[in-house]
Amino acid sequence: MTAAKPWKTLDDMELAGKVVLTRVDINVPMDAGRVTDMTRIERILPTVRDILAAGGKPVLLAHFGRPKGEVRADMSLGLIRDALEGALGSPVKFAANCIGADAKHGVADLADGETLLLENTRFHAEETKNDAMFAASLAALGDIYCNDAFSAAHRAHASTEAIARLLPACAGRLMQAELSALEGALGAPERPVVAVVGGAKVSTKLDLLGNLVGKADHLIIGGGMANTFLAAQGVSVGKSLCEHDLADTARDILAKAEAAGCEIILPRDITVAREFAANAAHEIVAVDACPDDAMILDVGSETNAYLAEVIKGAKTLIMNGPLGVFEMEPFQTGTFAMLDVIAAQTDADALVSVAGGGDTVAAINAAGKADNFSYISTAGGAFLEWMEGKTLPGVAALA
Ligand code: 3PG
Ligand code: MG
């Protein structure tokens, strides 16, 4: 039996006739006035539709970019209104300020079946300060607070944290989905658990590695950070990206993993090149044979064979970071080969696979495997902080 969640959901609230202030994350990428990735907009639709279906009035609170308390035309949520309305398939009104007369009139004029989008909360400097007065001005607009912005839950801001204490509060559908996927991956997972962590630097992922060695049975380390671990073990990495000053830290993590019974998996063979460029001349060599004038840009096939074996023996996998320089041909080979195995195991119902983070999701999309994962988080920073074992203020405030 699963323990009761400490937060309420939309099912626990009386929504009919109520103004539901709903914090969403529609911080989407745009190019030339067009939304280039609709994922975050699509993922909030179930919440908005459920509120509408129950006779509630959704009033959306959101940030867009980092305007730092200034009104910036290029960061107006008005730019997103059309895309949101098109995706939702019902009217979306827009208020040019998230507090004050514009917001109040927008709410008062809202008809049944309509949704109101309020202007960027970060046009007010008080938002990112988690200011109590600003939160009270937001709260005054509605009857219920619903947080559906897991991907902004690592921020203790007025619209994610302070407001949750001022109104009856609940989690939206996407928030519920994110939390249950992550709970299934690291909270109470089926074992063995494999964690894949990649990225350029160990220094940005220290807390993550520290938490994962206590939770995962196998920890695959890829990308530039693997070089730091190899160098810490006395392996020469040539001209590769490497944080030599973190050798002690890397050895500490290796020792902690050994004590916890977590297998750290580093490359066994490597793809090296003399140039950091697409289609640079390259070769696969043993891990301890990186030439002095070369750099490691991907794992090799022997590594991939071993990763496949480990992943095939696992029940749960959580991924944050690619193995190599997947943006550059042909150094995506190792990452894509691993993604093939993850996808096949997931499709066969042998593996629960969860991934998050901008680079990770980009690699999965580039490999065409987005539909083969059990769950792909909409979050970057929040996913990472959750994997680090940190409390997310936006989630904690719902309890
Ligand atoms: C994101 O895009 O990661 C979230 O919307 C949070 O944005 P922030 O990093 O500017 O707080
Ligand atoms: Mg971010």
Side-chain angles (χ1 to χ4, degrees), residues 319 321-322 326 335-336 339 358-369:
M319 174 172 176
F326 78 93
T335 302
F336 283 18
L339 289 173
D359 278 2
T360 313
V361 176
I364 293 169
N365 284 333
K369 300 294 182 195

Side-chain angles (χ1 to χ4, degrees), residues 230 263 265-270 285-288 299-300 302-303 306:
L230 292 172
E263 181 197 17
I265 302 174
L266 293 168
R268 297 180 165 204
D269 59 346
I270 50 183
V285 298
V287 71
D288 57 359
V299 297
E302 192 194 316
T303 305
Y306 183 59

Side-chain angles (χ1 to χ4, degrees), residues 76 192 309 345 370 399:
S76 171
E309 191 184 313
Q345 290 299 104

Side-chain angles (χ1 to χ4, degrees), residues 157-181:
H157 292 174
S159 70
T160 60
E161 209 276 345
I163 190 176
R165 308 182 187 287
L166 302 176
L167 288 173
C170 70
R173 301 305 185 203
L174 176 57
M175 177 69 89
Q176 281 181 269
E178 294 271 4
L179 292 172
S180 78

Side-chain angles (χ1 to χ4, degrees), residues 25 27 40 63 65-66 122 151-152 154-155 157 378-382:
D25 186 352
N27 194 22
R40 281 181 169 172
H63 74 280
R66 293 177 178 172
R122 290 187 186 172
S151 50
H154 57 318
R155 308 294 182 206
H157 292 174
T378 55

Side-chain angles (χ1 to χ4, degrees), residues 316-328:
T316 304
L317 179 141
I318 186 157
M319 174 172 176
N320 183 262
L323 298 183
V325 189
F326 78 93
E327 302 91 336
M328 232 160 52

Side-chain angles (χ1 to χ4, degrees), residues 202-327:
V202 172
S203 49
T204 57
K205 300 223 170 161
L206 280 179
D207 291 342
L208 177 63
L209 295 169
N211 188 43
L212 287 178
V213 293
K215 300 238 156 124
D217 301 294
H218 309 273
L219 174 55
I220 297 169
I221 298 180
M225 32 192 308
N227 306 336
T228 300
F229 279 87
L230 292 172
Q233 293 177 307
V235 176
S236 163
V237 297
K239 285 168 69 184
S240 305
L241 181 70
C242 181
E243 292 166 287
H244 290 285
D245 53 326
L246 285 181
D248 284 341
T249 307
R251 282 190 289 265
D252 283 350
I253 292 168
L254 291 168
K256 196 178 165 197
E258 186 162 6
C262 170
E263 181 197 17
I264 299 249
I265 302 174
L266 293 168
R268 297 180 165 204
D269 59 346
I270 50 183
T271 303
V272 298
R274 263 107 186 149
E275 239 190 310
F276 189 84
N279 299 308
H282 57 276
E283 58 188 316
I284 295 180
V285 298
V287 71
D288 57 359
C290 181
D292 286 345
D293 62 345
M295 57 198 130
I296 304 169
L297 297 182
D298 195 8
V299 297
S301 41
E302 192 194 316
T303 305
N304 272 126
Y306 183 59
L307 298 187
E309 191 184 313
V310 170
I311 292 166
K312 284 177 185 165
K315 292 255 168 46
T316 304
L317 179 141
I318 186 157
M319 174 172 176
N320 183 262
L323 298 183
V325 189
F326 78 93
E327 302 91 336

Side-chain angles (χ1 to χ4, degrees), residues 62-115:
H63 74 280
F64 188 34
R66 293 177 178 172
K68 305 206 161 95
E70 269 163 47
V71 176
R72 296 250 321 245
D74 61 331
M75 295 184 192
S76 171
L77 280 169
L79 299 169
I80 302 214
R81 196 208 63 88
D82 282 358
L84 175 60
E85 187 173 70
L88 187 59
S90 59
V92 176
K93 297 285 168 63
F94 179 69
N97 194 346
C98 64
I99 57 169
D102 285 325
K104 280 183 201 148
H105 291 142
V107 173
D109 294 346
L110 205 58
D112 279 349
E114 291 179 347
T115 298

